[in-house]
Coordinates of all heavy atoms in Angstrom, one line a residue:
M1 N 4.7 -6.8 6.4 CA 3.7 -5.9 7.2 C 2.3 -6.1 6.8 O 2.0 -6.1 5.5 CB 4.1 -4.4 7.0 CG 5.6 -4.1 7.6 SD 5.9 -2.3 7.2 CE 7.5 -2.2 7.9
V2 N 1.4 -6.1 7.7 CA 0.0 -6.2 7.4 C -0.7 -4.9 7.9 O -0.5 -4.4 8.9 CB -0.7 -7.4 8.1 CG1 -2.2 -7.3 7.9 CG2 0.0 -8.7 7.7
F3 N -1.4 -4.2 6.9 CA -2.1 -2.9 7.2 C -3.7 -3.3 7.3 O -4.2 -3.7 6.3 CB -1.9 -2.0 6.0 CG -0.5 -1.6 5.8 CD1 -0.1 -1.3 4.5 CD2 0.4 -1.6 6.8 CE1 1.4 -0.9 4.2 CE2 1.8 -1.2 6.6 CZ 2.2 -0.9 5.3
D4 N -4.1 -3.1 8.4 CA -5.6 -3.4 8.6 C -6.3 -2.3 9.6 O -7.2 -2.5 10.1 CB -5.8 -4.8 9.1 CG -5.1 -5.0 10.6 OD1 -4.6 -4.0 11.0 OD2 -5.2 -6.1 11.1
D5 N -5.7 -1.1 9.5 CA -6.3 0.0 10.3 C -7.7 0.3 9.8 O -8.5 0.7 10.6 CB -5.5 1.3 10.0 CG -4.1 1.2 10.8 OD1 -3.9 0.2 11.5 OD2 -3.4 2.2 10.6
K6 N -8.0 0.1 8.5 CA -9.3 0.5 7.9 C -10.1 -0.8 7.7 O -10.8 -0.9 6.8 CB -9.1 1.2 6.7 CG -8.2 2.5 6.8 CD -9.0 3.6 7.1 CE -8.3 5.0 7.0 NZ -6.9 5.1 7.4
L7 N -10.1 -1.8 8.5 CA -10.7 -3.1 8.4 C -12.2 -3.0 8.2 O -12.7 -3.7 7.3 CB -10.3 -4.0 9.6 CG -10.4 -5.5 9.3 CD1 -9.7 -6.0 8.0 CD2 -10.0 -6.3 10.4
D8 N -12.9 -2.1 8.8 CA -14.3 -2.0 8.8 C -14.7 -1.7 7.3 O -15.5 -2.3 6.7 CB -14.9 -1.0 9.8 CG -14.8 -1.5 11.2 OD1 -14.6 -2.8 11.4 OD2 -15.1 -0.7 12.1
S9 N -14.0 -0.6 6.8 CA -14.2 -0.2 5.5 C -13.9 -1.2 4.5 O -14.6 -1.4 3.5 CB -13.4 1.1 5.2 OG -13.4 1.5 4.0
M10 N -12.8 -2.0 4.8 CA -12.4 -3.1 3.8 C -13.5 -4.1 3.7 O -13.8 -4.6 2.7 CB -11.1 -3.6 4.2 CG -9.9 -2.7 4.1 SD -8.4 -3.6 4.7 CE -7.3 -2.1 4.8
K11 N -14.0 -4.5 4.9 CA -15.1 -5.6 5.0 C -16.3 -5.1 4.2 O -16.7 -5.9 3.3 CB -15.5 -5.7 6.4 CG -14.5 -6.7 7.2 CD -15.1 -7.2 8.5 CE -14.2 -8.0 9.3 NZ -14.2 -7.6 10.7
E12 N -16.7 -3.9 4.2 CA -17.7 -3.3 3.5 C -17.5 -3.5 2.0 O -18.4 -3.7 1.3 CB -18.0 -1.9 3.8 CG -19.0 -1.7 5.0 CD -19.1 -0.2 5.3 OE1 -19.1 0.7 4.4 OE2 -19.1 0.1 6.5
A13 N -16.2 -3.2 1.6 CA -15.9 -3.3 0.2 C -15.6 -4.8 -0.2 O -15.4 -4.9 -1.4 CB -14.8 -2.4 -0.1
G14 N -15.6 -5.7 0.6 CA -15.4 -7.0 0.3 C -13.8 -7.4 0.0 O -13.5 -8.3 -0.8
V15 N -13.0 -6.7 0.7 CA -11.5 -7.0 0.6 C -11.0 -7.1 2.0 O -11.6 -6.7 3.0 CB -10.7 -5.9 -0.1 CG1 -11.2 -5.7 -1.6 CG2 -10.8 -4.5 0.6
G16 N -9.9 -7.8 2.2 CA -9.3 -8.0 3.5 C -8.1 -7.1 3.6 O -7.8 -6.2 2.8
P17 N -7.3 -7.4 4.7 CA -6.1 -6.6 5.0 C -5.1 -6.6 3.8 O -5.1 -7.5 3.1 CB -5.5 -7.4 6.2 CG -6.6 -8.0 6.8 CD -7.5 -8.5 5.7
V18 N -4.2 -5.6 3.9 CA -3.2 -5.4 2.9 C -1.9 -6.1 3.3 O -1.5 -5.8 4.6 CB -2.9 -3.9 2.7 CG1 -1.7 -3.8 1.8 CG2 -4.2 -3.3 2.1
V19 N -1.3 -6.9 2.6 CA 0.1 -7.4 2.9 C 1.0 -6.6 2.1 O 1.1 -6.6 0.9 CB 0.2 -8.9 2.6 CG1 1.6 -9.4 2.9 CG2 -0.9 -9.7 3.4
F20 N 1.9 -5.8 2.8 CA 2.9 -5.0 2.2 C 4.3 -5.6 2.4 O 4.8 -5.7 3.4 CB 2.9 -3.7 2.9 CG 4.0 -2.8 2.3 CD1 4.0 -2.3 1.1 CD2 5.0 -2.3 3.1 CE1 5.1 -1.5 0.6 CE2 6.1 -1.5 2.7 CZ 6.2 -1.1 1.3
P21 N 4.9 -6.1 1.3 CA 6.2 -6.7 1.4 C 7.5 -5.7 1.5 O 7.8 -5.2 0.5 CB 6.3 -7.5 0.1 CG 5.4 -7.0 -0.8 CD 4.4 -6.0 -0.1
H22 N 7.7 -5.2 2.7 CA 8.7 -4.1 2.9 C 10.1 -4.7 2.3 O 10.7 -3.8 1.7 CB 8.8 -3.8 4.4 CG 9.5 -2.6 4.6 ND1 10.9 -2.5 4.8 CD2 9.1 -1.3 4.7 CE1 11.2 -1.2 4.9 NE2 10.2 -0.5 5.0
T23 N 10.4 -5.9 2.7 CA 11.7 -6.3 2.2 C 11.9 -6.3 0.7 O 12.9 -5.8 0.1 CB 12.0 -7.8 2.6 OG1 11.7 -7.9 4.1 CG2 13.5 -8.2 2.5
R24 N 10.9 -6.7 0.0 CA 10.9 -6.7 -1.5 C 11.0 -5.3 -2.0 O 11.8 -5.0 -2.8 CB 9.6 -7.2 -2.0 CG 9.4 -7.1 -3.5 CD 9.2 -8.3 -4.2 NE 8.9 -8.1 -5.7 CZ 9.8 -8.0 -6.6 NH1 11.1 -8.1 -6.3 NH2 9.5 -7.8 -7.9
H25 N 10.4 -4.2 -1.3 CA 10.6 -2.9 -1.7 C 12.0 -2.3 -1.4 O 12.5 -1.5 -2.1 CB 9.5 -2.0 -1.1 CG 8.1 -2.2 -1.7 ND1 7.3 -3.3 -1.4 CD2 7.4 -1.5 -2.7 CE1 6.1 -3.2 -2.0 NE2 6.2 -2.2 -2.8
E26 N 12.6 -2.8 -0.3 CA 14.0 -2.5 0.0 C 14.9 -2.9 -1.0 O 16.0 -2.2 -1.3 CB 14.3 -3.1 1.4 CG 13.8 -2.5 2.6 CD 14.1 -3.2 3.8 OE1 15.3 -3.7 4.0 OE2 13.4 -3.3 4.7
E27 N 14.6 -4.1 -1.6 CA 15.5 -4.7 -2.6 C 15.4 -3.9 -3.9 O 16.4 -3.7 -4.6 CB 15.1 -6.1 -3.0 CG 15.6 -7.0 -1.9 CD 14.8 -8.4 -2.0 OE1 14.0 -8.7 -3.0 OE2 14.9 -9.3 -1.1
L28 N 14.2 -3.2 -4.2 CA 14.1 -2.5 -5.4 C 14.3 -1.1 -5.4 O 14.7 -0.5 -6.4 CB 12.6 -2.7 -5.8 CG 12.1 -4.1 -6.3 CD1 10.7 -4.2 -6.5 CD2 12.9 -4.5 -7.6
Y29 N 14.2 -0.5 -4.2 CA 14.3 0.9 -4.1 C 15.2 1.3 -2.9 O 15.5 0.6 -1.9 CB 13.0 1.6 -3.9 CG 12.0 1.3 -5.0 CD1 11.0 0.3 -4.8 CD2 12.1 1.9 -6.2 CE1 10.2 -0.1 -5.8 CE2 11.2 1.5 -7.3 CZ 10.3 0.5 -7.0 OH 9.5 0.1 -8.0
Q30 N 15.6 2.7 -3.0 CA 16.4 3.2 -1.7 C 15.4 3.6 -0.7 O 14.2 4.0 -1.0 CB 17.2 4.5 -2.2 CG 18.2 4.1 -3.3 CD 19.3 3.1 -2.8 OE1 19.8 3.2 -1.7 NE2 19.5 2.1 -3.6
C31 N 15.8 3.5 0.5 CA 14.9 3.9 1.6 C 14.4 5.4 1.4 O 13.3 5.6 1.6 CB 15.7 3.9 2.9 SG 16.7 2.5 3.2
E32 N 15.3 6.2 0.8 CA 14.9 7.7 0.7 C 13.9 7.9 -0.3 O 13.3 8.9 -0.3 CB 16.1 8.6 0.5 CG 17.3 8.4 1.4 CD 18.1 7.1 1.0 OE1 18.5 6.9 0.0 OE2 18.3 6.4 2.1
E33 N 13.7 6.9 -1.2 CA 12.7 7.1 -2.1 C 11.3 7.0 -1.6 O 10.3 7.6 -2.1 CB 12.8 6.0 -3.3 CG 14.1 6.3 -4.1 CD 14.2 5.2 -5.3 OE1 13.4 5.2 -6.2 OE2 15.0 4.2 -5.1
C34 N 11.1 6.4 -0.4 CA 9.8 6.4 0.2 C 9.8 7.1 1.6 O 8.8 7.8 1.9 CB 9.5 4.9 0.6 SG 9.1 3.9 -0.8
H35 N 10.9 7.0 2.3 CA 10.9 7.7 3.6 C 11.8 9.0 3.5 O 12.9 9.0 3.0 CB 11.6 6.9 4.7 CG 10.9 5.5 4.9 ND1 9.5 5.5 5.2 CD2 11.2 4.2 4.8 CE1 9.2 4.2 5.3 NE2 10.2 3.5 5.0
P36 N 11.3 10.1 4.1 CA 10.1 10.3 4.7 C 9.0 10.9 3.9 O 7.8 11.1 4.3 CB 10.4 11.3 5.9 CG 11.4 12.2 5.3 CD 12.1 11.3 4.3
S37 N 9.3 11.1 2.5 CA 8.4 12.0 1.8 C 7.0 11.2 1.5 O 6.1 12.0 1.5 CB 9.1 12.4 0.4 OG 9.6 11.3 -0.1
I38 N 7.1 10.0 1.1 CA 5.8 9.3 0.8 C 5.2 8.7 2.0 O 4.1 8.7 2.2 CB 6.1 8.3 -0.4 CG1 6.7 8.9 -1.6 CG2 4.8 7.5 -0.7 CD1 7.2 7.9 -2.7
F39 N 6.1 8.0 2.8 CA 5.6 7.3 4.0 C 6.6 7.7 5.2 O 7.8 7.5 5.0 CB 5.7 5.7 3.8 CG 5.0 5.2 2.7 CD1 5.5 4.8 1.5 CD2 3.6 4.8 3.0 CE1 4.8 4.1 0.5 CE2 2.9 4.3 1.8 CZ 3.4 3.9 0.7
K40 N 5.9 8.1 6.3 CA 6.7 8.3 7.5 C 7.2 6.9 7.9 O 6.4 5.9 7.9 CB 5.9 8.9 8.6 CG 5.4 10.3 8.3 CD 4.4 10.8 9.5 CE 3.8 12.0 8.9 NZ 2.3 12.1 9.2
D41 N 8.4 6.8 8.4 CA 8.9 5.5 8.7 C 8.5 5.0 10.1 O 9.4 4.8 11.1 CB 10.4 5.3 8.5 CG 11.2 6.1 9.2 OD1 10.7 7.2 9.8 OD2 12.5 6.0 9.4
K42 N 7.3 4.9 10.4 CA 6.8 4.5 11.7 C 5.5 3.7 11.5 O 4.6 4.3 10.8 CB 6.6 5.7 12.6 CG 6.2 5.2 14.0 CD 6.3 6.4 15.0 CE 6.1 6.2 16.4 NZ 4.7 5.7 16.6
R43 N 5.3 2.5 11.9 CA 4.1 1.8 11.7 C 2.9 2.5 12.2 O 2.9 3.0 13.3 CB 4.2 0.4 12.4 CG 5.0 -0.5 11.7 CD 4.4 -1.1 10.4 NE 3.2 -1.9 10.7 CZ 1.9 -1.6 10.3 NH1 1.8 -0.4 9.6 NH2 1.0 -2.4 10.6
G44 N 1.8 2.7 11.3 CA 0.7 3.3 11.7 C 0.6 4.8 11.6 O -0.4 5.4 11.9
A45 N 1.8 5.4 11.2 CA 1.9 6.9 11.2 C 1.3 7.5 9.9 O 1.2 8.7 10.0 CB 3.4 7.2 11.4
N46 N 0.9 6.6 9.0 CA 0.5 7.2 7.8 C -1.1 6.8 7.6 O -1.4 5.8 7.7 CB 1.3 6.5 6.5 CG 2.7 6.8 6.7 OD1 3.2 7.8 6.3 ND2 3.5 5.9 7.1
D47 N -1.8 7.9 7.3 CA -3.2 7.7 7.3 C -3.5 7.3 5.8 O -4.1 8.1 5.0 CB -4.0 9.0 7.7 CG -5.5 8.7 7.8 OD1 -5.9 7.5 7.8 OD2 -6.3 9.7 7.8
M48 N -3.3 6.1 5.5 CA -3.4 5.6 4.1 C -4.9 5.3 3.9 O -5.6 4.7 4.8 CB -2.6 4.3 4.0 CG -1.1 4.6 4.1 SD -0.2 3.1 3.7 CE -0.1 2.4 5.5
S49 N -5.3 5.4 2.8 CA -6.7 5.0 2.3 C -6.6 4.7 0.8 O -5.8 5.2 0.1 CB -7.8 6.0 2.7 OG -7.5 7.2 1.9
M50 N -7.7 4.1 0.3 CA -7.8 3.9 -1.2 C -7.9 5.3 -1.9 O -7.5 5.5 -2.9 CB -8.9 3.0 -1.5 CG -8.5 1.6 -2.0 SD -6.9 1.2 -2.1 CE -6.6 1.3 -3.9
K51 N -8.7 6.2 -1.3 CA -8.9 7.6 -1.9 C -7.5 8.1 -2.1 O -7.1 8.7 -3.1 CB -9.8 8.4 -1.1 CG -10.1 9.7 -1.7 CD -11.1 10.5 -1.1 CE -11.5 11.7 -1.9 NZ -10.3 12.5 -2.3
A52 N -6.7 8.2 -1.0 CA -5.4 8.8 -1.0 C -4.6 8.0 -2.1 O -3.9 8.7 -2.9 CB -4.7 8.7 0.4
N53 N -4.6 6.7 -2.1 CA -3.9 6.0 -3.1 C -4.3 6.4 -4.6 O -3.4 6.7 -5.5 CB -4.1 4.5 -3.1 CG -3.5 3.8 -1.9 OD1 -2.4 4.4 -1.4 ND2 -4.0 2.7 -1.5
M54 N -5.6 6.6 -4.8 CA -6.1 7.0 -6.1 C -5.8 8.4 -6.4 O -5.8 8.8 -7.6 CB -7.6 6.5 -6.2 CG -7.7 5.0 -6.3 SD -9.4 4.5 -6.3 CE -9.2 2.8 -6.5
D55 N -5.6 9.3 -5.3 CA -5.3 10.6 -5.5 C -3.8 10.8 -5.8 O -3.2 11.9 -5.7 CB -5.7 11.5 -4.3 CG -7.2 11.7 -4.4 OD1 -7.9 11.4 -5.4 OD2 -7.8 12.1 -3.4
G56 N -3.1 9.7 -5.9 CA -1.7 9.9 -6.2 C -0.8 9.9 -5.0 O 0.4 10.3 -5.1
Q57 N -1.3 9.5 -3.8 CA -0.4 9.5 -2.6 C -0.1 8.0 -2.2 O -0.6 7.2 -2.9 CB -1.2 10.1 -1.3 CG -1.5 11.5 -1.6 CD -2.4 12.1 -0.4 OE1 -3.7 12.1 -0.6 NE2 -1.8 12.4 0.7
F58 N 0.8 7.8 -1.3 CA 1.1 6.4 -0.8 C 1.4 5.5 -1.9 O 2.2 5.8 -2.9 CB 0.0 6.0 0.1 CG -0.2 7.0 1.2 CD1 -1.4 7.6 1.5 CD2 0.9 7.3 2.2 CE1 -1.7 8.5 2.5 CE2 0.6 8.3 3.2 CZ -0.6 8.9 3.4
C59 N 0.7 4.5 -1.9 CA 1.0 3.4 -2.9 C 0.7 3.9 -4.3 O 1.3 3.3 -5.3 CB 0.1 2.1 -2.8 SG 0.0 1.6 -1.1
G60 N -0.2 4.8 -4.5 CA -0.5 5.3 -5.8 C 0.2 6.6 -6.3 O 0.0 7.2 -7.3
T61 N 1.5 6.8 -5.6 CA 2.4 7.8 -6.0 C 2.9 7.5 -7.4 O 3.1 6.5 -7.8 CB 3.5 7.9 -5.1 OG1 3.1 8.1 -3.7 CG2 4.7 8.8 -5.4
P62 N 2.8 8.7 -8.2 CA 3.3 8.5 -9.6 C 4.6 7.8 -9.7 O 5.4 8.1 -8.8 CB 3.5 9.9 -10.1 CG 2.5 10.7 -9.3 CD 2.5 10.1 -8.0
A63 N 4.7 6.8 -10.7 CA 5.9 6.0 -10.8 C 5.8 4.8 -9.9 O 6.8 3.9 -9.9 CB 7.3 6.7 -10.6
C64 N 4.8 4.7 -9.0 CA 4.7 3.5 -8.1 C 3.5 2.6 -8.8 O 3.6 2.2 -9.9 CB 4.5 3.8 -6.8 SG 5.9 4.9 -6.1
H65 N 2.4 2.4 -8.0 CA 1.4 1.4 -8.5 C 0.4 2.3 -9.3 O -0.8 2.2 -9.2 CB 0.7 0.7 -7.3 CG 1.6 -0.2 -6.7 ND1 2.0 -1.4 -7.3 CD2 2.3 -0.2 -5.6 CE1 2.8 -2.1 -6.5 NE2 3.2 -1.4 -5.5
D66 N 1.0 3.1 -10.2 CA 0.3 4.0 -11.0 C 1.0 4.1 -12.3 O 1.0 5.1 -13.0 CB 0.2 5.5 -10.3 CG -0.5 6.5 -11.3 OD1 -1.3 6.0 -12.0 OD2 0.0 7.6 -11.1
S67 N 2.0 3.1 -12.6 CA 2.9 3.2 -13.8 C 3.1 1.9 -14.4 O 2.7 0.9 -13.9 CB 4.2 3.8 -13.2 OG 4.9 2.8 -12.5
I68 N 3.7 1.9 -15.5 CA 4.0 0.6 -16.2 C 5.0 -0.2 -15.4 O 5.1 -1.4 -15.5 CB 4.6 0.7 -17.6 CG1 5.6 1.7 -17.8 CG2 3.3 1.1 -18.5 CD1 6.3 1.7 -19.0
G69 N 5.7 0.4 -14.4 CA 6.8 -0.4 -13.7 C 6.1 -1.2 -12.7 O 6.8 -2.2 -12.1
A70 N 4.9 -1.1 -12.3 CA 4.4 -1.9 -11.1 C 2.9 -2.2 -11.5 O 2.3 -1.4 -12.2 CB 4.5 -1.1 -9.8
F71 N 2.4 -3.2 -10.9 CA 1.0 -3.6 -11.2 C 0.0 -2.4 -10.7 O 0.4 -1.7 -9.7 CB 0.5 -4.9 -10.5 CG 0.6 -4.8 -9.0 CD1 -0.4 -4.3 -8.1 CD2 1.8 -5.4 -8.3 CE1 -0.3 -4.4 -6.8 CE2 1.9 -5.4 -7.0 CZ 0.9 -4.8 -6.2
P72 N -1.1 -2.1 -11.4 CA -1.8 -1.0 -11.1 C -2.9 -1.1 -10.0 O -3.1 -2.2 -9.4 CB -2.7 -0.8 -12.4 CG -2.7 -2.2 -12.9 CD -1.5 -3.0 -12.5
L73 N -3.5 -0.1 -9.5 CA -4.4 -0.1 -8.3 C -5.6 -0.8 -8.6 O -6.2 -1.4 -7.6 CB -4.7 1.4 -7.9 CG -3.6 2.2 -7.3 CD1 -4.0 3.7 -7.1 CD2 -3.2 1.5 -5.9
Y74 N -6.0 -1.0 -9.8 CA -7.3 -1.8 -9.9 C -7.0 -3.3 -9.6 O -8.1 -4.0 -9.6 CB -8.0 -1.6 -11.3 CG -7.2 -2.0 -12.5 CD1 -7.1 -3.3 -12.8 CD2 -6.6 -1.1 -13.3 CE1 -6.5 -3.7 -14.0 CE2 -5.9 -1.5 -14.4 CZ -5.8 -2.8 -14.7 OH -5.1 -3.1 -15.8
M75 N -5.8 -3.8 -9.6 CA -5.6 -5.3 -9.3 C -5.7 -5.5 -7.6 O -4.6 -5.7 -7.0 CB -4.2 -5.6 -9.8 CG -4.4 -5.7 -11.4 SD -2.7 -6.1 -12.2 CE -2.8 -7.9 -12.0
C76 N -6.9 -5.3 -7.2 CA -7.1 -5.3 -5.7 C -6.4 -6.5 -5.0 O -5.8 -6.4 -4.1 CB -8.6 -5.4 -5.4 SG -9.7 -4.3 -6.5
N77 N -6.5 -7.6 -5.7 CA -6.0 -8.9 -5.0 C -4.5 -9.0 -5.0 O -3.9 -9.8 -4.3 CB -6.6 -10.1 -5.6 CG -6.3 -10.3 -7.1 OD1 -5.6 -9.4 -7.6 ND2 -6.5 -11.4 -7.6
K78 N -3.8 -8.0 -5.6 CA -2.3 -8.1 -5.6 C -1.9 -7.5 -4.2 O -0.8 -7.8 -3.7 CB -1.7 -7.3 -6.7 CG -2.0 -7.8 -8.0 CD -1.0 -8.9 -8.4 CE 0.2 -8.6 -9.0 NZ 1.1 -9.7 -9.3
C79 N -2.7 -6.7 -3.5 CA -2.3 -6.1 -2.3 C -3.3 -6.6 -1.1 O -2.8 -6.8 -0.1 CB -2.5 -4.6 -2.4 SG -1.3 -3.8 -3.5
H80 N -4.6 -6.8 -1.4 CA -5.5 -7.1 -0.4 C -5.6 -8.6 -0.4 O -5.8 -9.2 -1.5 CB -6.8 -6.5 -0.7 CG -6.9 -5.1 -0.4 ND1 -7.3 -4.5 0.8 CD2 -6.8 -4.0 -1.3 CE1 -7.2 -3.3 0.6 NE2 -7.0 -2.8 -0.6
T81 N -5.7 -9.2 0.8 CA -6.1 -10.7 0.9 C -7.6 -10.8 0.9 O -8.2 -9.8 1.0 CB -5.4 -11.2 2.2 OG1 -6.0 -10.4 3.3 CG2 -3.9 -11.2 2.3
N82 N -8.0 -12.0 0.8 CA -9.5 -12.4 0.9 C -10.4 -11.4 0.0 O -11.4 -11.0 0.4 CB -10.0 -12.1 2.4 CG -9.1 -12.9 3.3 OD1 -8.7 -13.9 3.0 ND2 -8.8 -12.3 4.5
V83 N -10.0 -11.1 -1.2 CA -10.8 -10.4 -2.1 C -11.9 -11.3 -2.6 O -11.6 -12.4 -3.1 CB -10.0 -9.8 -3.3 CG1 -10.9 -9.1 -4.2 CG2 -8.9 -8.9 -2.9
K84 N -13.2 -10.8 -2.3 CA -14.3 -11.6 -2.8 C -14.5 -11.6 -4.3 O -14.3 -10.6 -4.9 CB -15.6 -11.1 -2.2 CG -16.0 -11.5 -0.8 CD -17.3 -11.1 -0.4 CE -17.4 -11.0 1.1 NZ -18.1 -9.8 1.6
Q85 N -14.5 -12.7 -4.9 CA -14.9 -12.8 -6.3 C -16.2 -12.6 -6.7 O -17.0 -12.9 -6.0 CB -14.4 -14.3 -6.9 CG -13.0 -14.6 -6.6 CD -12.0 -13.7 -7.2 OE1 -12.2 -13.1 -8.2 NE2 -10.9 -13.6 -6.4
P86 N -16.5 -11.7 -7.7 CA -17.8 -11.4 -8.0 C -18.6 -12.5 -8.5 O -18.0 -13.5 -9.1 CB -17.7 -10.3 -9.1 CG -16.3 -10.3 -9.6 CD -15.5 -11.2 -8.7
Ligands
LIG101 C1 8.3 1.4 -1.3 C2 8.5 2.2 -0.2 C3 9.4 1.9 1.0 C4 10.8 1.7 0.9 C5 11.7 1.6 -0.3 C6 11.3 1.4 2.2 N1 10.2 1.5 3.1 FE1 10.1 1.5 5.1 N2 8.1 1.5 5.2 C7 7.3 1.7 4.1 C8 6.0 1.6 4.5 C9 4.7 1.7 3.7 C10 6.1 1.4 5.9 C11 4.8 1.2 6.9 C12 4.4 2.7 7.3 C13 3.0 2.7 8.2 O1 2.7 1.7 8.9 O2 2.2 3.5 8.1 C14 7.3 1.4 6.3 C15 7.8 1.3 7.6 C16 9.2 1.5 8.0 C17 9.7 1.5 9.3 C18 8.8 1.4 10.6 C19 8.9 0.1 11.0 C20 8.1 -0.1 12.4 O3 7.8 -1.2 12.8 O4 7.5 1.0 12.9 C21 11.0 1.6 9.3 C22 12.0 1.8 10.4 C23 11.5 1.6 7.9 N3 10.2 1.5 7.1 C24 12.7 1.7 7.5 C25 13.1 1.6 6.1 C26 14.5 1.5 5.7 C27 15.7 1.5 6.6 C28 14.4 1.3 4.2 C29 15.6 1.1 3.3 C30 16.4 -0.1 3.6 C31 12.9 1.3 3.9 N4 12.3 1.5 5.1 C32 12.5 1.3 2.6 C33 7.7 1.9 2.7 C34 9.0 1.7 2.3
LIG102 C1 -0.9 -1.2 -4.3 C2 -1.7 -1.9 -3.3 C3 -3.1 -1.7 -3.3 C4 -4.0 -2.0 -4.2 C5 -3.7 -2.6 -5.7 C6 -5.5 -1.8 -3.7 N1 -5.3 -1.4 -2.5 FE1 -6.9 -0.9 -1.3 N2 -5.6 -0.3 0.2 C7 -4.2 -0.3 0.2 C8 -3.7 0.2 1.3 C9 -2.2 0.3 1.5 C10 -4.7 0.6 2.1 C11 -4.6 1.3 3.5 C12 -4.6 0.1 4.6 C13 -4.6 0.7 6.0 O1 -3.8 1.5 6.3 O2 -5.4 0.2 6.8 C14 -5.9 0.3 1.4 C15 -7.3 0.5 1.9 C16 -8.4 0.2 1.2 C17 -9.7 0.1 1.9 C18 -10.0 0.7 3.1 C19 -9.8 2.2 3.3 C20 -10.6 3.0 2.4 O3 -10.2 3.8 1.7 O4 -12.0 2.8 2.4 C21 -10.6 -0.3 0.9 C22 -12.0 -0.4 1.1 C23 -9.9 -0.7 -0.3 N3 -8.5 -0.4 0.0 C24 -10.2 -1.4 -1.4 C25 -9.5 -1.6 -2.6 C26 -10.2 -2.1 -3.8 C27 -11.6 -2.3 -4.0 C28 -9.0 -2.2 -4.6 C29 -9.1 -2.7 -6.1 C30 -9.9 -1.8 -6.9 C31 -7.8 -2.0 -3.9 N4 -8.2 -1.6 -2.6 C32 -6.6 -2.0 -4.5 C33 -3.4 -0.8 -0.9 C34 -3.9 -1.2 -2.1

């Protein structure tokens, strides 16, 4: 799945769309661990943003990309394509 609802803001920040590997997450977790409490199971139904992620919602939910179990939120290029190198 590719998330690019916030593309204008991403361009300003020098990052590209997010590639979310849904299948990989299905292999690692139960559907109910994400749906419906963290993510509504409908494309585009979640108003995701980096602020929300950093506030502990969506991808940044505790025990997700905010823990030793998964790469952290500062590794922009693990989620965003086309990250500009400084
Ligand atoms: C790690 C969290 C996670 C897990 C586990 C997960 N999903 Fe999802 N799922 C998502 C996200 C994120 C989206 C995209 C939501 C959006 O676009 O706002 C999504 C989207 C969906 C959609 C909507 C697809 C569409 O085209 O509208 C369905 C249906 C869905 N998931 C079903 C499942 C089922 C069934 C499982 C278990 C086999 C599962 N999900 C496991 C995170 C997860
Ligand atoms: C775990 C995955 C993940 C990581 C790591 C990540 N992001 Fe994001 N980011 C997302 C998702 C998901 C969205 C929402 C995408 C959408 O719905 O359009 C997003 C949205 C954004 C947006 C646009 C919306 C907004 O909030 O302005 C910017 C800019 C952004 N990210 C920058 C960054 C930067 C810079 C980093 C590294 C410091 C980073 N992201 C790391 C997943 C991630």
Side-chain angles (χ1 to χ4, degrees):
M1 293 180 178
V2 177
F3 301 150
D4 59 2
D5 290 355
K6 306 269 188 330
L7 198 55
D8 288 345
S9 166
M10 289 179 197
K11 275 189 188 145
E12 270 174 41
V15 297
V18 172
V19 176
F20 174 67
H22 194 273
T23 312
R24 168 125 177 89
H25 287 81
E26 281 174 43
E27 287 162 8
L28 292 169
Y29 305 101
Q30 300 300 313
C31 316
E32 306 78 53
E33 291 182 73
C34 288
H35 301 304
S37 55
I38 301 176
F39 298 101
K40 295 177 196 137
D41 61 345
K42 188 167 184 297
R43 283 290 292 116
N46 300 281
D47 188 17
M48 295 180 272
S49 68
M50 248 4 256
K51 181 173 189 310
N53 286 337
M54 288 176 179
D55 283 348
Q57 297 172 265
F58 305 118
C59 313
T61 297
C64 300
H65 293 283
D66 175 30
S67 71
I68 51 167
F71 62 82
L73 284 175
Y74 64 76
M75 294 176 79
C76 318
N77 63 349
K78 299 277 276 180
C79 296
H80 291 272
T81 54
N82 307 323
V83 177
K84 274 188 204 136
Q85 299 304 324

